[in-house]
Amino acid sequence: MPVPDAPTLTYRFTIVAEVGEYLKLHQDAARMLELIPITGGTISGDLTGSVVPGGGDWCSTLADGSYEVEARYVFQTDDGALVDVVNTGILRHLGDQKGPPSEMGYFLTTPTFRTVAPDLQWLTRSLFLGKARTAPGATTIDIFEVSP
């Protein structure tokens, strides 16, 4: 059986989400849940703008040291359009790597976008993949559009 062609990825834009202090919400033997407030940030690339303060990332630290993330926030383009973002993902070490989240080699997300802006409807009609990285005070996500 032949191997099917893989979809292609096209870089579209980068989100830099500035974050505040982590707030512990829950902990049991399987996981710890924290809320990471999103306090602002920037959008650059095919879209430019800023992240609206007030969103958050509900981050679960699992017993094996990996993380599940679920972020919800809004950004506003430079021309005033608002875009709602729901971004879920996985953050983990590769192989037998060790170290803090900023050194984890696997941080991929699946963002979805909603907007009423006519010129941005392409955001609501495609699938996207985010390649993310963490640093003190911010998470950066490069957004790629998935094409057949």
Side-chain angles (χ1 to χ4, degrees), residues 87-129:
N87 198 4
T88 60
I90 302 289
L91 175 60
R92 65 175 172 83
H93 287 292
L94 294 174
D96 52 357
Q97 241 182 345
K98 301 280 187 237
S102 61
E103 295 176 10
M104 291 184 159
Y106 188 103
F107 190 1
L108 298 175
T109 68
T110 54
T112 57
F113 304 99
R114 295 186 295 188
T115 183
V116 296
D119 293 345
L120 298 180
Q121 288 306 299
W122 61 273
L123 288 170
T124 69
R125 296 184 180 132
S126 289
L127 294 176
F128 294 89
L129 179 70

Side-chain angles (χ1 to χ4, degrees), residues 18 26 34 38 42 62 79 87 110 112 115-116 148:
E18 298 166 354
H26 175 79
E34 294 175 293
I38 296 175
T42 59
L62 305 181
D79 61 3
N87 198 4
T110 54
T112 57
T115 183
V116 296

Side-chain angles (χ1 to χ4, degrees), residues 16-20 22 36 91 101-103 107 132-140:
V16 178
E18 298 166 354
V19 298
Y22 293 24
I36 305 167
L91 175 60
S102 61
E103 295 176 10
F107 190 1
R133 57 197 173 279
T134 64
T139 297
T140 300

